[in-house]
Amino acid sequence: MKKINIFATATLLLGSMITFTNCSDLMELAPTTQYSEDIVFSDAELVQAYVFELYNNIQHGAKEHTLDGLTDDAYFTHNYGQKAINEAAVSESGLEWFGNENNPFRWQDRYKGIRYANIIISRIGEVPPKAGIDLDRLKGEALYLRAHMYHELVRGYGGVPLVTDIFEISQTEEMKQPRNSIGECLDYIVKDLEEAEKLLPDNVGDSEWGRVTKYVATGLKARILLHVASPLYADRTINTLECNQFAGDRQSTYRAAKEAALKVINESSFALVDCTTGTNTERAELFKAIITDKRNSEQMFVRNFGIEAGAENRMGLWHGPNGYHNWAGTTPTQDLVMAFEYEDGSLPEGMTRPGEYQVGNPYIGRESRFYATVATDGNTWGRARGADGQALDPTPLGELQAGYYEVTDGIALEIEIPGGEKVRFLGVNGVDTRQGPIEDWNGSWTGYYERKLIDCAVDAQYYRQAVPWTFMRLAEIYTIAAEASVELGELEDAAKYLDVLRARVGCVDTKTALAKQGKQFNQEDLREFVRHERRVEFAYESNRYYDVRRWMIANQTNSKPLTGILVIGRLKPGQTQYRPYVHSEEKYEYSYYVNSLGNESRRWDNKLYFAPISLDEMKRNTNLKQNPGMGS
């Protein structure tokens, strides 16, 4: 008898995508984890539990390793798993991080989830109705989740096998399906989403927050249409595998993406969060709260987390400063830092190449999203240091010490600045550096820390954070509408959608920013502007990895030397400062040096436009074709 692994007790509810307030009926189910398939589909409550568990088969990004460490936006501090990919030393027999369970397009995990979705979709029609359970809605959720898993596979590998049958273990030959074309995959995903739209509700209440809605399905449709319309799938020079080449009409696909995006913008109840109130710092906190709030009007689809044991979000521990006993997992690069505009719409100049330096704070006057995203030397973190950090940083909310500072009663320091010159003075190593006194092995190599995804008020060394993972938010839909408009030659429309997005964080309008940056209001410059906007708006939300590939610019973005910042604070003439050091623009002159990090020799290889299918999968299914360059 076939059995289905299904959690129908508190285990399901704690690990589920959804946080419910009225779970009593589910909690009364028998405390077992296995039911025969026939039993499941004879009971609507069990089917509902099965669908809720299906949400766990899409991978969130609240992990120590993130996709951003594989882009020019970030560096993974501990240098395992992702280093080989950044150096193009990866293949079907050496997957490195591509084989990690945190990978959102990991082959075996997504196909396992697709199998579960296929079972639900094929059998839900035979389930007896039960009061209070909407079986049509549950089918709509299964259709959406199947589409979501296929869209992740497509974004990772290109064309993949579309498995519609439910195979038994003995059907080994039948399982050996070839890869479908990217166009066939797109049609299949869109069909699932359009069926889901008919079955899903327009909105959900607080007790069901985390369940998908009609407009989440429409938003995913806009995303995958834009993705497949992009240059990578039209290319025939680098993208040489036929199943990864889109044969459809790109203009009509961009049009369909725009129409789907506008349907969400114009018809749904989602709304951009207004971040224009107060100072630039206050606006930054409003923008950050879009991500860290448990619920707001801009979030469309999230993975909820509590602070209990079980499913957890420990981004504060994984990515926070070592001076708080955190691990600095993924840290911002100098390249990302210099991508954020000034408040007047202009872009910073210089400070991108190793050896370039600036005396005086280079971060003053940036747009508010910068301060929400990146934590720099001297920033207030948000909570007091632990017991062993208080003597080193007595400030009430903690100030990052990511540099090296002269103090009157300091120890002898010798700091080598880019170019080989050595600077000597009496000072202290900042508590959040790799030479600091607290967990120096966890210090940032880049001199920066990620801020955007972290609830800085939580003592992350000991406690989890109740911050959701955002799979989709309305801002992305605006950028989809804008990018599709650019590719359709509808430039005024593109500017209109971008202006709405930028205005809500206090940025100047598109045409003003283009002029400030010495660019024209034409298709080529506006295309680059949209791409830049996506980079800064969605930093650390797992978009950049896919974007640079579909735009075919990864040869530029992923082969640049990895750079960070070296901060040195010297006392101004006549000033003294005894330990503990405290950041002070009045007492100190701060110098900022761009330094080259030799931790990775980043090298782009065009084979990395698509991930390798594992050698085990290739052996199991001899009808599969490997992505170019990924053979053993």
Side-chain angles (χ1 to χ4, degrees):
M1 180 181 293
K2 290 185 290 183
K3 291 192 175 182
I4 297 174
N5 286 320
I6 177 172
F7 296 92
T9 60
T11 304
L12 163 71
L13 299 173
L14 288 173
S16 170
M17 297 292 296
I18 307 106
T19 299
F20 292 94
T21 56
N22 297 312
C23 305
S24 56
D25 291 342
L26 277 177
M27 297 293 282
E28 291 171 3
L29 293 172
T32 181
T33 59
Q34 283 199 333
Y35 294 86
S36 73
E37 192 174 307
D38 288 340
I39 289 176
V40 169
F41 289 99
S42 68
D43 187 321
E45 282 185 286
L46 286 175
V47 172
Q48 178 173 260
Y50 193 11
V51 172
F52 291 169
E53 178 62 20
L54 186 61
Y55 277 87
N56 286 328
N57 287 276
I58 60 174
Q59 182 58 59
H60 60 81
K63 298 290 183 179
E64 183 186 4
H65 265 131
T66 69
L67 280 174
D68 297 284
L70 299 173
T71 75
D72 52 342
D73 284 355
Y75 170 65
F76 181 67
T77 297
H78 306 295
N79 225 359
Y80 58 83
Q82 293 188 329
K83 178 181 179 181
I85 298 174
N86 286 329
E87 295 181 347
V90 62
S91 68
E92 64 183 11
S93 58
L95 299 181
E96 298 295 334
W97 183 83
F98 284 133
N100 190 291
E101 64 180 9
N102 296 340
N103 179 356
F105 50 83
R106 191 183 188 210
W107 186 280
Q108 63 264 44
D109 293 340
R110 301 298 80 78
Y111 273 109
K112 180 182 73 173
I114 287 167
R115 172 179 167 78
Y116 295 156
N118 285 342
I119 293 171
I120 294 168
I121 293 164
S122 67
R123 296 203 61 178
I124 199 167
E126 63 194 70
V127 180
K130 186 166 187 176
I133 297 179
D134 187 338
L135 292 169
D136 285 340
R137 178 183 179 183
L138 293 174
K139 181 179 180 181
E141 288 175 286
L143 285 162
Y144 173 87
L145 292 167
R146 181 168 71 178
H148 191 109
M149 288 181 276
Y150 270 122
H151 116 282
E152 293 287 36
L153 286 166
V154 164
R155 294 201 297 174
Y157 299 100
V160 295
L162 294 171
V163 181
T164 56
D165 296 322
I166 303 165
F167 297 110
E168 300 300 325
I169 294 176
S170 61
Q171 295 178 284
T172 55
E173 290 304 311
E174 290 85 348
M175 291 182 194
K176 295 179 180 179
Q177 295 186 213
R179 296 173 67 175
N180 288 81
S181 72
I182 197 77
E184 291 169 333
C185 291
L186 176 65
D187 290 343
Y188 189 85
I189 292 167
V190 168
K191 182 176 181 293
D192 266 3
L193 292 171
E194 289 179 345
E195 286 298 310
E197 285 176 314
K198 299 171 187 175
L199 301 172
L200 294 170
D202 289 0
N203 303 290
V204 294
D206 287 343
S207 65
E208 297 183 315
W209 185 236
R211 297 180 72 177
V212 294
T213 66
K214 169 184 176 180
Y215 292 107
V216 173
T218 309
L220 190 67
K221 181 166 65 173
R223 178 193 287 174
I224 194 62
L225 285 163
L226 183 79
H227 187 87
V228 173
S230 299
L232 175 61
Y233 302 96
D235 180 74
R236 299 293 184 269
T237 303
I238 293 171
N239 179 8
T240 57
L241 190 63
E242 186 176 2
C243 70
N244 290 341
Q245 299 170 346
F246 183 50
D249 185 298
R250 293 177 66 205
Q251 288 290 290
S252 64
T253 308
Y254 278 123
R255 176 67 62 194
K258 180 177 178 178
E259 289 173 353
L262 292 182
K263 183 175 181 181
V264 176
I265 292 168
N266 295 328
E267 297 181 16
S268 77
S269 61
F270 299 114
L272 295 174
V273 173
D274 184 358
C275 305
T276 57
T277 303
T279 64
N280 206 353
T281 302
E282 291 168 335
R283 295 199 300 271
E285 289 305 305
L286 291 172
F287 178 74
K288 184 173 181 288
I290 296 169
I291 300 299
T292 57
D293 277 351
K294 289 186 178 180
R295 180 172 187 176
N296 57 61
S297 64
E298 187 167 322
Q299 296 169 347
M300 295 176 62
F301 180 30
V302 303
R303 164 61 143 104
N304 294 310
F305 293 98
I307 58 173
E308 305 87 356
E312 62 181 8
N313 181 344
R314 303 207 69 176
M315 292 295 268
L317 174 67
W318 296 326
H319 292 197
N322 62 305
Y324 285 91
H325 292 276
N326 303 151
W327 301 354
T330 298
T331 55
T333 60
Q334 180 67 10
D335 198 73
L336 173 66
V337 165
M338 300 309 287
F340 286 88
E341 297 173 2
Y342 288 112
E343 288 186 85
D344 67 358
S346 62
L347 283 171
E349 295 182 3
M351 293 293 287
T352 58
R353 296 184 180 89
E356 293 182 325
Y357 72 96
Q358 178 174 326
V359 177
N361 193 329
Y363 315 120
I364 294 173
R366 300 293 190 90
E367 57 144 309
S368 57
R369 290 177 294 190
F370 171 71
Y371 306 107
T373 304
V374 179
T376 67
D377 178 69
N379 282 173
T380 297
W381 181 249
R383 67 178 308 277
R385 300 278 180 176
D388 58 349
Q390 283 284 315
L392 306 167
D393 172 19
T395 59
L397 293 176
E399 289 182 351
L400 283 187
Q401 296 181 13
Y404 306 87
Y405 320 104
E406 183 179 7
V407 293
T408 307
D409 59 344
I411 61 173
L413 296 183
E414 182 178 273
I415 310 296
E416 183 174 328
I417 63 175
E421 181 184 349
K422 294 181 179 178
V423 179
R424 299 175 179 85
F425 55 89
L426 295 179
V428 292
N429 300 312
V431 67
D432 302 302
T433 66
R434 292 193 68 83
Q435 289 73 39
I438 298 177
E439 297 192 12
D440 54 358
W441 64 92
N442 280 331
S444 168
W445 286 101
T446 68
Y448 299 108
Y449 287 93
E450 177 193 314
R451 184 179 187 84
K452 187 177 188 180
L453 307 180
I454 298 174
D455 182 347
C456 299
V458 172
D459 186 352
Q461 180 185 5
Y462 301 109
Y463 301 104
R464 300 166 178 83
Q465 60 178 34
V467 173
W469 174 260
T470 303
F471 287 112
M472 185 186 300
R473 59 187 176 95
L474 187 62
E476 181 188 356
I477 308 303
Y478 273 89
T479 63
I480 291 171
E483 184 178 336
S485 295
V486 168
E487 300 304 333
L488 292 166
E490 297 166 358
L491 305 190
E492 292 292 343
D493 273 4
K496 177 175 67 176
Y497 306 131
L498 288 173
D499 287 348
V500 173
L501 189 60
R502 290 169 59 83
R504 66 74 179 262
V505 289
C507 288
V508 300
D509 65 88
T510 298
K511 291 180 180 178
T512 298
L514 282 168
K516 284 284 186 180
Q517 296 169 23
K519 299 176 181 177
Q520 304 298 312
F521 187 70
N522 57 34
Q523 188 179 43
E524 181 179 355
D525 285 355
L526 196 54
R527 178 182 291 124
E528 294 304 312
F529 191 83
V530 171
R531 293 176 177 183
H532 184 272
E533 187 70 14
R534 280 184 64 92
R535 182 183 189 185
V536 298
E537 174 74 26
F538 303 115
Y540 304 126
E541 296 180 53
S542 294
N543 284 340
R544 181 89 173 151
Y545 175 90
Y546 302 112
D547 281 350
V548 300
R549 284 163 172 75
R550 68 183 180 87
W551 295 329
M552 294 195 78
I553 63 170
N555 62 317
Q556 304 163 39
T557 63
N558 285 43
S559 59
K560 291 180 290 190
L562 184 68
T563 58
I565 200 75
L566 169 65
V567 182
I568 297 178
R570 300 296 300 272
L571 286 165
K572 293 179 179 179
Q575 296 289 342
T576 58
Q577 173 68 51
Y578 292 90
R579 288 182 284 185
Y581 160 81
V582 176
H583 184 88
S584 171
E585 298 285 344
E586 294 181 1
K587 286 188 174 185
Y588 282 89
E589 180 177 84
Y590 294 95
S591 298
Y592 301 80
Y593 299 87
V594 180
N595 61 349
S596 179
L597 308 181
N599 313 63
E600 287 181 358
S601 298
R602 292 200 168 186
R603 183 179 74 87
W604 176 257
D605 188 311
N606 287 333
K607 71 179 184 180
L608 292 170
Y609 277 114
F610 299 99
I613 302 170
S614 75
L615 181 59
D616 287 344
E617 292 294 342
M618 297 296 294
K619 288 179 176 178
R620 274 193 288 268
N621 181 356
T622 53
N623 289 324
L624 289 176
K625 289 186 178 181
Q626 182 60 270
N627 280 323
M630 290 299 186
S632 298

